[in-house]
Amino acid sequence: MNILVINSGSSSLKYQLFKMPVPSPISSGLVERIGIEGSYIKHTVFKEGEKFITEKTAFIADHGEGLKQVLALLSEGELAVIATPDDINAVGHRVVHGGENFSGPTLITTEVKEQIKKLFSLAPLHNPVNLRCIEVAEETFKSASQVAIFDTAFHQSIPQQAFRYAIPERYYKEEGIRVYGFHGTSHKYVSEQAVKWLDKKASKLISIHLGNGCSITAIRNGQSIDTSMGFGPLSGLMMGTRSGDIDPSVVFHLIEHAGYSLNQLSTLFNKESGLLGVGGSSDMRDIRKLAASGDEQAVLALELYAYRIKKFIGAYAAILNGIDAIIFTAGVGENDRDMREAVCHKLAYLGIEMDNEANGKYNGGIQDVSINDSKVKILVIPTNEEYEIASQCYRLLQT
């Protein structure tokens, strides 16, 4: 079954084509800077153990045009991997916000699209783009099943005492204000990989997704029971440009005493804070270089980042009543050995003891970087959201 996975951001579009159930893609690519000068496409075909890369730079006005160019790359020339759009059996779409309506992979219908549209206000940078890509895919791949995989779906198992805020009930009933959680596809994938690795279905896991966006999730027996991101993707851990948790009194203060508008506050907390606001760059690699040169703000940014993660590990250890493993994943989680070490430092009282030599030698795949007799395993597991989306589509369409 040929399944094309589309993972669209506000100005980007990632894609992978799988011949399921084979886990390795036959093609993948990235369209960047959509609607911005300097639009760029990198398209890769995997053939007989080799990689063939095509790169293009040309203005791409919107996601619809980007997807049409992706189709041309997939179906034209010597590196074509399909003959016609009808060779695609299904298109799996990452949709950021599904509210309370969706707890698993969902065949897209007119009603489903209406529900995605109703949630625009909860994910204004993503849901409109996700819907546009669905509409273009329906026009482009007319014979394919269209399937939505929601970032929020994995967290629908969170109990009420964890997802409700301590505000009057009418705000939940009438406005839908509650914890929804995000990065669910990533947390689901790496936690399932951890369960297989541990060979322990009855498990207590803490999954730590550290990229430009960051979140941490407590997982009991394969189900999310709490997560750091809430009503939107701003709360919880310190991120690339997002502040993470902050006292709401700061918002009141900036409105009352500094005259900030709502737009200014949104920009401040979403785009000017986090690593960028404290350390001067949203890229952890840049922060590392600045810290190595003696930049005190960069050093502070690293300390804040690790400290926030430690706090959540402690909290989630309490609600899980113990931990079998913690998981590091995504760009920073997989590639920054020093951050993994900083997070795990002095957590032996929780049974978390890192083998710093093994941690320093990590080079990909699933790896345990804890000492041999550590009560809690410390796993580094590369996330693969696109394959997880393809897998969920495949299982849905097989039933």
Side-chain angles (χ1 to χ4, degrees):
M1 185 183 291
N2 288 328
I3 298 179
L4 177 65
V5 173
I6 295 175
N7 187 343
S8 54
S10 55
S11 62
S12 65
L13 191 156
K14 291 192 290 185
Y15 61 93
Q16 289 193 24
L17 177 60
F18 294 88
K19 194 173 188 67
M20 294 297 289
V22 178
S24 301
I26 57 177
S27 181
S28 69
L30 172 65
V31 186
E32 289 187 303
R33 298 180 63 83
I34 296 172
I36 306 169
E37 290 300 326
S39 304
Y40 169 75
I41 302 177
K42 182 177 181 180
H43 176 75
T44 304
V45 173
F46 304 94
K47 195 173 183 180
E48 297 175 354
E50 292 189 66
K51 281 198 306 187
F52 300 89
I53 297 173
T54 303
E55 296 177 284
K56 293 175 65 176
T57 302
F59 180 68
I60 298 170
D62 56 30
H63 286 72
E65 184 180 330
L67 196 52
K68 288 172 184 173
Q69 294 213 28
V70 169
L71 173 60
L73 287 164
L74 291 171
S75 60
E76 297 174 4
E78 294 179 1
L79 293 174
V81 290
I82 59 173
T84 73
D86 290 341
D87 287 341
I88 300 296
N89 304 112
V91 182
H93 299 267
R94 176 201 176 210
V95 181
V96 166
H97 216 306
E100 290 188 320
N101 300 306
F102 305 103
S103 58
T106 304
L107 278 171
I108 294 170
T109 63
T110 300
E111 290 74 23
V112 170
K113 288 187 286 185
E114 284 302 313
Q115 289 295 325
I116 293 170
K117 191 178 292 185
K118 286 179 181 178
L119 294 165
F120 277 8
S121 63
L122 300 187
L125 295 180
H126 294 91
N127 268 36
V129 169
N130 299 153
L131 181 59
R132 177 58 183 147
C133 284
I134 289 169
E135 292 170 339
V136 173
E138 287 175 328
E139 296 166 5
T140 307
F141 306 101
K142 296 183 186 295
S143 63
S145 299
Q146 306 288 331
V147 180
I149 308 295
F150 296 91
D151 263 10
T152 49
F154 181 58
H155 301 299
Q156 285 299 295
S157 54
I158 292 175
Q160 189 166 196
Q161 69 265 27
F163 76 66
R164 286 288 296 275
Y165 292 114
I167 57 177
E169 187 178 29
R170 68 178 183 273
Y171 293 100
Y172 168 57
K173 294 289 189 181
E174 298 171 15
E175 303 294 336
I177 295 175
R178 54 156 286 177
V179 169
Y180 289 104
F182 299 90
H183 295 143
T185 305
S186 176
H187 289 300
K188 183 177 188 297
Y189 175 79
V190 297
S191 63
E192 288 176 349
Q193 296 299 306
V195 167
K196 290 177 186 175
W197 191 91
L198 293 165
D199 193 21
K200 188 175 184 180
K201 288 185 179 180
S203 57
K204 300 173 182 179
L205 307 174
I206 297 177
S207 172
I208 310 167
H209 178 107
L210 303 177
N212 189 49
C214 302
S215 64
I216 180 169
T217 297
I219 302 164
R220 180 188 291 129
N221 302 337
Q223 291 192 315
S224 171
I225 63 166
D226 205 349
T227 192
S228 58
M229 284 182 168
F231 180 67
L234 178 59
S235 63
L237 302 177
M238 179 178 174
M239 308 179 216
T241 63
R242 282 172 260 176
S243 64
D245 284 347
I246 191 164
D247 184 346
S249 299
V250 175
V251 176
F252 307 146
H253 176 85
L254 291 174
I255 291 172
E256 294 172 7
H257 298 283
Y260 272 57
S261 68
L262 292 178
N263 282 339
Q264 285 175 310
L265 288 169
S266 178
T267 299
L268 170 62
F269 295 130
N270 281 293
K271 298 180 180 179
E272 297 175 349
S273 298
L275 288 174
L276 176 63
V278 179
S281 173
S282 62
D283 192 309
M284 182 63 81
R285 292 165 294 189
D286 294 338
I287 297 293
R288 285 285 175 204
K289 290 176 184 175
L290 289 167
S293 71
D295 187 301
E296 292 182 1
Q297 285 300 116
V299 172
L300 175 61
L302 294 171
E303 291 172 345
L304 276 172
Y305 193 96
Y307 181 78
R308 291 283 185 90
I309 300 168
K310 278 177 178 280
K311 284 176 67 175
F312 273 95
I313 290 174
Y316 288 171
I319 65 167
L320 285 166
N321 191 26
I323 319 168
D324 293 310
I326 63 172
I327 305 161
F328 288 95
T329 194
V332 175
E334 294 166 31
N335 297 305
D336 194 318
R337 63 187 185 187
D338 293 327
M339 183 52 65
R340 294 194 298 265
E341 184 177 338
V343 168
C344 295
H345 185 56
K346 293 186 177 180
L347 291 184
Y349 69 97
L350 288 177
I352 300 170
E353 298 183 82
M354 174 173 278
D355 181 332
N356 292 335
E357 184 177 353
N359 180 55
K361 291 180 178 178
Y362 174 75
N363 60 359
I366 300 177
Q367 188 172 327
D368 176 13
V369 296
S370 60
I371 64 172
N372 289 335
D373 57 353
S374 177
K375 293 179 181 177
V376 177
K377 297 300 181 184
I378 305 169
L379 304 178
V380 186
I381 303 180
T383 192
N384 193 337
E385 292 174 283
E386 285 76 20
Y387 177 65
E388 176 62 30
I389 291 170
S391 295
Q392 291 190 41
C393 290
Y394 184 66
R395 289 195 295 268
L396 176 70
L397 297 173
Q398 290 289 94
T399 57

